[in-house]
Amino acid sequence: MTLTTGAIVSGVPVICGGYSYSAYASYPQCYKYDNSTHSWTFLTNMTTGRDFGASVPLHGKLFVMGGIGRKNILSSTEIISLDGNASQPGPELPFPRSRHCIVKLSTGRVDD
């Protein structure tokens, strides 16, 4: 799996999405790192497989936005919780984007 996005959320590394060159497909899966077992464990699926997305930790969750899914550039966003519940839709981006970055400012505001 390559082209994933992720961040440290409440002290836990989380990664989502990615691309399989052999299957020519974007992944919807999210994983979290379990420090006690030193391994990645499945967390949840996003509603849309995506690669080349961006993400940022926000309020104890991972905010994933944009990217490429099914060869289309996405404007959708998803909110991933560490409890393993299904991802929740976030606000739609003003326009589709991929290969971008997002930054959480010291004020708590998120900018891309």
Side-chain angles (χ1 to χ4, degrees):
M1 182 166 37
T2 63
L3 314 174
T4 62
T5 187
I8 306 293
V9 180
S10 300
V12 178
V14 178
I15 58 171
C16 290
Y19 187 79
S20 168
Y21 288 101
S22 61
Y24 302 107
S26 300
Y27 288 115
Q29 296 93 346
C30 295
Y31 295 87
K32 66 180 179 179
Y33 187 75
D34 184 339
N35 201 30
S36 66
T37 62
H38 302 291
S39 62
W40 291 94
T41 58
F42 177 77
L43 180 60
T44 191
N45 280 323
M46 296 182 288
T47 56
T48 302
R50 62 183 76 220
D51 53 272
F52 284 115
S55 60
V56 66
L58 193 62
H59 307 299
K61 298 179 180 183
L62 185 65
F63 188 35
V64 180
M65 60 199 70
I68 300 173
R70 294 192 184 116
K71 299 182 182 178
N72 295 315
I73 299 175
L74 303 170
S75 60
S76 62
T77 68
E78 301 195 41
I79 301 167
I80 310 301
S81 177
L82 289 180
D83 59 15
N85 287 338
S87 72
Q88 299 297 310
E92 199 75 12
L93 295 170
F95 55 88
R97 60 185 76 185
S98 69
R99 298 181 171 120
H100 59 291
C101 68
I102 183 115
V103 176
K104 185 169 106 177
L105 304 174
S106 61
T107 62
R109 181 185 160 133
V110 174
D111 265 341
D112 63 347

